[in-house]
Amino acid sequence: MTAAFTTVRSGALTTVQDAGRPGHAHLGVPRSGALDAPAMRLANRLLGNAPDAAVLETTLTGCALRPDRDVTAVVGGAYCPVSVGGRPAAWGAPVRVPAGSVLDVGAAVAGVRSYVAVAGGIAAEPVLGSRSTDLLSGLGPAPLRDGDVVAVGTAPRPVPLPVAAPWPGPAAELVLPVRLGPRADWFSPAALRTLASGAYRVSPHSNRIGLRMEGPPLQHASTGELPSEGMVLGAVQVPPDGHPVVFLNDHPTTGGYPVVAVVLEPALAAAAQAAAGTPVRFVLA
Amino acid sequence: MTDGPSLTARPAGRHALLVELSDAEHTAAFHAEVLRRRAAGTLPPVAEIVPGARTVLLDGVGDPGALARGVAGWEVPPVTADDGEAVEIPVRYDGPDLADVATLWGVAPEEVGARHRAHTYRVAFCGFAPGFGYLTGLPARLHVPRRATPRTRVPAGAVALAGPYSAVYPRATPGGWQLIGTMPDPGALWDPARERAALLVPGTRVRFVTADAEPTGPGRGGASPQETSAAGAGTEDGA
């Protein structure tokens, strides 16, 4: 018999995420998946799960869950207080949650997105090979609401745990290495200098689709219209208002605003943990 | 047709190449060539092949520089009229913008359907929503602008026009296109539980045909790549 969680408190936005559904961009399907994939994988590894087993991704305010059977869980990613049945419990390490006790994942103290992995993984119905919630196109399970029941898969055999798992905290300043292109030629040399030297901040309007920037606008050098073209993860798209948006996992697969540069993929996990107001610096890689 | 200098390969990050072509036709031809080479096993591993209006994005490429040099030397034959799988989409021409489109086209509203059906379309690319295909094939004189004010809700199955494109909304979304008709069973457009989730994939040829007078009930197959609806065949008038 497998366990299920009842959602006691769904938090600001809690979604099911795994490695996403890459390979369908030509159909207009975003890749989706955990924004901080290294955090998801580490939480799964600590439980003996497959690295890409489905987890819950919270946003700023955490969530609270009550299992109907004893389960083992790991809360990782953004650092936050954790409690089980009202008693403080470990963050970043396996915790036992007895049947009927509430696992409370508190508000993020640092970072944005905490991950709740459970031995056996979250057992939502896969869509196109993934259990991820895609907020742009609405594929996968809906975001959690209070009272929702979330099924858990069959727990793996307990495995020896790695000692001292490293959980990087969010940086005080988000440094995003970028390669210029594919549409850097839509911008003046002055605009490209602004991108590489400007003081940007993470906008509170950021979400799983994109990390929006506040700071000096990048004016298009031409006023033409760009025909729709394929967009990559990490694309720095510049809409007509000039404020760059770094595309995250739920980004649209095609778009009509020029992409001035692309953030190198290893930096995107940190981007997903950068809270509103975090200073951002783009550096040419 | 050899593309030669009309092809520009632009790097997009460390693992992707955006190949830009001179027009929609060359883009369709290049996209078809990419698919042929992938089927033949002569394309280096690529995670995503995403056509756009004038581009083909090759994402998840090990060595974009080498691929850029490779594609520059490709012989790319033009697409022919019978390239690609063909699907038929039944339409009732009852859209709320039918009269506006008729005015823009300089025809009577009841002639819009015949003009629209008279052309064969091709899915140039997808985007906006899963299963939403941008269909090219409408001659330039029939291109219409988007509506000045977008609708907050366009129903699923709405058959629409904007710029050089024709499309069918796979589900209800906001939208700014001119609505000329209705596909009675829009569920056929997108079903992620199906082996082939999207009816309209890039490169597919599309013909619009007259829907049965009786609206198709839910659960009926509607259009599929296997079926060839005979409804509306032989109504080659107008245009």
Side-chain angles (χ1 to χ4, degrees):
Chain A
M1 285 296 108
T2 54
F5 285 113
T6 296
T7 307
V8 176
R9 179 175 64 82
S10 57
L13 174 67
T14 300
T15 60
V16 178
Q17 297 296 338
D18 56 14
R21 45 184 76 83
H24 301 92
H26 62 296
L27 305 179
V29 175
R31 76 169 61 203
S32 194
L35 292 190
D36 186 348
M40 169 189 74
R41 290 193 209 108
L42 178 52
N44 276 323
R45 261 203 351 256
L46 290 168
L47 293 164
N49 285 346
D52 294 331
V55 300
L56 296 176
E57 179 182 280
T58 69
T59 313
L60 291 171
T61 61
C63 67
L65 306 160
R66 188 174 53 232
D68 62 355
R69 289 167 198 279
D70 296 1
V71 298
T72 306
V74 168
V75 179
Y79 179 74
C80 62
V82 178
S83 69
V84 174
R87 291 164 185 270
W91 173 92
V95 293
R96 191 88 184 135
V97 187
S101 296
V102 172
L103 168 66
D104 192 90
V105 179
V109 174
V112 176
R113 295 172 170 98
S114 300
Y115 290 87
V116 186
V118 56
I122 301 295
E125 193 60 37
V127 176
L128 296 174
S130 166
R131 298 180 163 89
S132 291
T133 301
D134 165 0
L135 293 176
L136 183 75
S137 57
L139 298 179
L144 253 58
R145 288 162 309 177
D146 292 353
D148 280 356
V149 174
V150 181
V152 174
T154 306
R157 235 175 249 278
V159 289
L161 298 174
V163 273
W167 294 95
E173 180 193 42
L174 179 64
V175 178
L176 296 177
V178 295
R179 283 259 173 110
L180 289 180
R183 297 289 176 187
D185 53 351
W186 273 62
F187 300 86
S188 67
L192 297 181
R193 279 195 301 274
T194 301
L195 175 72
S197 63
Y200 288 95
R201 279 179 188 278
V202 175
S203 155
H205 300 295
S206 300
N207 55 26
R208 284 185 45 87
I209 295 166
L211 196 72
R212 293 175 180 277
M213 295 294 140
E214 291 173 346
L218 304 176
Q219 300 305 343
H220 297 178
S222 82
T223 53
E225 236 180 84
L226 184 70
S228 283
E229 61 188 26
M231 294 281 143
V232 297
L233 182 67
V236 183
Q237 200 194 48
V238 184
D241 70 6
H243 294 294
V245 181
V246 178
F247 275 170
L248 300 179
N249 295 43
D250 287 359
H251 72 86
T253 58
T254 58
Y257 297 133
V259 171
V260 63
V262 176
V263 176
L264 304 188
E265 201 168 328
L268 292 174
Q273 295 293 7
T278 303
V280 180
R281 196 154 46 90
F282 293 97
V283 295
L284 300 183
Chain B
M1 172 175 82
T2 307
D3 279 300
S6 65
L7 174 156
T8 312
R10 299 166 174 270
R14 271 191 184 151
H15 299 293
L17 203 60
L18 184 70
V19 181
E20 186 172 22
L21 290 307
S22 54
D23 56 27
E25 220 165 294
H26 285 80
T27 304
F30 183 82
H31 177 244
E33 180 67 17
V34 171
L35 297 187
R36 270 194 296 276
R37 286 176 184 252
R38 186 175 60 174
T42 59
L43 187 74
V46 166
E48 307 268 12
I49 299 167
V50 189
R54 301 227 194 315
T55 53
V56 177
L57 174 68
L58 303 167
D59 194 4
V61 179
D63 185 349
L67 186 58
R69 290 187 292 278
V71 299
W74 286 5
E75 288 277 326
V76 179
V79 280
T80 57
D82 56 355
D83 269 351
E85 202 167 16
V87 303
E88 294 196 337
I89 293 183
V91 184
R92 287 197 310 268
Y93 288 92
D94 58 1
D97 301 325
L98 201 63
D100 289 351
V101 169
T103 304
L104 288 164
W105 285 3
V107 301
E110 50 279 13
E111 282 179 60
V112 167
R115 302 259 169 157
H116 186 241
R117 286 194 306 272
H119 303 281
T120 298
Y121 298 80
R122 187 179 294 278
V123 183
F125 59 98
C126 295
F128 179 63
F132 187 100
Y134 291 75
L135 313 185
T136 51
L138 209 56
R141 67 180 186 282
L142 299 184
H143 296 179
V144 297
R146 286 161 191 262
R147 284 168 51 82
T149 310
R151 288 185 170 85
T152 53
R153 186 179 184 278
V154 171
V159 176
L161 304 176
Y165 302 113
S166 204
V168 192
Y169 283 74
R171 60 170 194 214
T173 50
W177 292 32
Q178 310 265 8
L179 310 185
I180 60 168
T182 307
M183 177 185 183
D185 181 16
L189 290 168
W190 174 253
D191 178 2
R194 200 167 55 195
E195 167 73 21
R196 172 183 163 138
L199 178 66
L200 305 179
V201 304
T204 306
R205 279 179 296 133
V206 178
R207 286 185 65 81
F208 292 101
V209 298
T210 309
D212 302 338
E214 284 295 299
T216 312
R220 269 199 50 185
S224 80
Q226 289 78 34
E227 284 179 17
T228 45
S229 158
T235 55
E236 288 286 319
D237 51 347

